[in-house]
């Protein structure tokens, strides 16, 4: 019996699929639409088995819906902007753009080898000016409408690396990359004023029929609106008072001690 040779068979058909653009999606009002969107990977350089599992499941869905008669839009892209590219550039001494684009190229090759049914003409790379001009456009709208504002906030800072670190990059108070002591630094940063929408977001959670209570509670907590009052605790020994907030003012009279973090 002849052995299955993936190198011959798969590369032959994948080439045909690519040349014939068999996964290209055109607008077609005569068929129902189906949008199959998996997550865009971060271009770390190589796909791992977690990617393969995720994208194989999405691919099965997209193909199944196509066979059911849907006009399936199945795009792919790369979530490729941000700190990991900066960190890799520092570590390897290369430009962030060179590093990012060569990783993307390699991962596209791997995705194509897997035979995934993407419409590559619709590929999105978030590090590309053709994409981020839209996030800039959005930001400008936020800014003009008073919904983007600047203020100082404290971040994790490593003096040796000269970078901000995410909480998970601080291990036992030290920088994950160079092992130096991390300290808090006040930096001027941009914020979006989502608090303006807290009430409407909360109210509209009721419209989510059939959603698990657990997920709605998570959303509720994430929005984080709470009603309470601010009050001052007098500390005569220190000749000062300490501002505090509580959602349960009725329990304030039971306070026996105060811990300041
Ligand atoms: Zn460091």
């Amino acid at each position: 019996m002849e052995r299955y040779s993936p190198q011959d068979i798969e590369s032959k058909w994948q080439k045909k699929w690519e040349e014939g653009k068999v996964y290209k999606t055109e607008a077609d009002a005569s068929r129902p639409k189906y949008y199959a969107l998996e997550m865009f990977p971060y271009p770390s350089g190589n796909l791992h088995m977690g990617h393969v599992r995720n994208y194989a499941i999405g691919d099965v869905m997209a193909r199944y819906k196509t066979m059911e008669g849907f006009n399936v839009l199945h795009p792919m892209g790369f979530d490729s902007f941000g700190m990991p590219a900066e960190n890799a550039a520092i570590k390897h001494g290369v430009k962030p753009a060179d590093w990012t684009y060569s990783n993307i190229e390699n991962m596209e090759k791997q995705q194509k080898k897997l035979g995934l049914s993407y419409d590559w003409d619709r590929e999105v790379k978030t590090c590309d000016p053709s994409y981020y001009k839209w996030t800039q456009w959005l930001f400008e709208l936020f800014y003009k409408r008073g919904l983007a504002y600047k203020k100082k906030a404290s971040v994790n800072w490593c003096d040796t690396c000269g970078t901000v670190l995410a909480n998970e990059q601080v291990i036992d108070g030290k920088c994950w990359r160079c092992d130096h002591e991390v300290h808090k630094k006040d930096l001027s940063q941009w914020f979006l004023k989502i608090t303006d929408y807290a009430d409407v977001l909360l109210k509209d959670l009721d419209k989510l029929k059939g959603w698990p209570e657990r997920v709605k509670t998570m959303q509720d907590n994430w929005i984080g609106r709470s009603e309470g009052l601010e009050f001052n605790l007098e500390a005569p020994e220190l000749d000062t008072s300490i501002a505090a907030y509580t959602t349960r003012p009725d329990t304030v009279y039971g306070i026996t001690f105060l811990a300041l973090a």
Side-chain angles (χ1 to χ4, degrees):
M1 204 177 83
E2 212 182 324
R3 277 183 69 129
Y4 178 71
S5 165
Q7 282 80 5
D8 301 329
I9 295 168
E10 293 182 13
S11 60
K12 175 187 161 183
W13 288 106
Q14 283 162 13
K15 191 160 168 273
K16 273 209 182 296
W17 296 340
E18 191 160 359
E19 283 167 1
K21 288 191 186 284
V22 292
Y23 301 118
K24 189 172 170 57
T25 307
E26 306 280 5
D28 178 3
S30 70
R31 283 188 293 160
K33 294 183 281 192
Y34 191 84
Y35 184 27
L37 178 68
E38 298 124 36
M39 64 175 178
F40 289 171
Y42 180 78
S44 50
N46 280 298
L47 295 182
H48 53 70
M49 282 317 289
H51 289 120
V52 177
R53 185 177 79 154
N54 186 54
Y55 297 131
I57 294 168
D59 197 56
V60 169
M61 275 298 292
R63 288 173 188 273
Y64 173 71
K65 287 290 174 184
T66 303
M67 288 162 88
E68 276 196 324
F70 285 86
N71 188 26
V72 176
L73 176 60
H74 191 203
M76 185 33 67
F78 290 88
D79 176 10
S80 49
F81 214 42
M83 210 148 65
E86 249 178 71
N87 288 331
I90 294 169
K91 193 172 166 195
H92 304 294
V94 291
K95 288 185 192 164
D98 294 347
W99 185 80
T100 303
Y101 281 106
S102 77
N103 284 354
I104 287 177
E105 205 178 301
N106 186 52
M107 288 168 81
E108 284 167 351
K109 250 186 235 157
Q110 294 179 307
Q111 285 169 318
K112 284 175 183 171
K113 269 191 186 162
L114 285 167
L116 302 168
S117 59
Y118 300 133
D119 178 355
W120 285 104
D121 286 354
R122 295 182 189 252
E123 186 182 14
V124 162
K125 295 167 189 160
T126 61
C127 63
D128 203 89
S130 66
Y131 176 87
Y132 69 68
K133 70 174 180 184
W134 294 112
T135 48
Q136 288 175 335
W137 177 78
L138 267 174
F139 181 83
E140 222 182 313
L141 283 185
F142 276 110
Y143 182 69
K144 283 179 183 160
R145 291 171 194 192
L147 294 168
Y149 61 99
K150 228 174 176 180
K151 76 166 186 199
K152 283 213 164 157
S154 112
V155 294
N156 303 311
W157 183 265
C158 173
D159 279 326
T160 328
C161 297
T163 63
V164 171
L165 298 172
N167 285 337
E168 51 273 24
Q169 294 174 326
V170 182
I171 298 154
D172 296 329
K174 296 199 171 100
C175 171
W176 69 310
R177 193 186 305 115
C178 72
D179 232 24
H180 271 82
E181 208 72 36
V182 173
H183 62 94
K184 294 280 179 191
K185 186 176 178 177
D186 271 348
L187 280 186
S188 186
Q189 292 172 82
W190 286 101
F191 291 86
L192 296 178
K193 213 170 156 198
I194 54 170
T195 44
D196 273 16
Y197 297 90
D199 287 333
V200 68
L201 284 170
L202 279 172
K203 194 164 69 54
D204 284 0
L205 284 178
D206 293 338
K207 292 186 188 166
L208 299 176
K209 302 288 174 222
W211 282 54
E213 255 343 284
R214 181 173 56 81
V215 175
K216 290 208 264 185
T217 307
M218 269 162 57
Q219 285 297 312
D220 201 311
N221 292 338
W222 178 78
I223 295 164
R225 177 170 160 64
S226 74
E227 269 176 57
L229 61 83
E230 280 178 351
F231 63 104
N232 287 318
L233 287 158
E234 300 303 328
E237 299 87 342
L238 302 170
D239 194 23
T240 187
S241 66
I242 297 154
Y245 170 82
T246 179
T247 55
R248 292 288 308 276
D250 54 319
T251 63
V252 163
Y253 297 99
I255 294 175
T256 52
F257 72 96
L258 168 75
L260 276 184

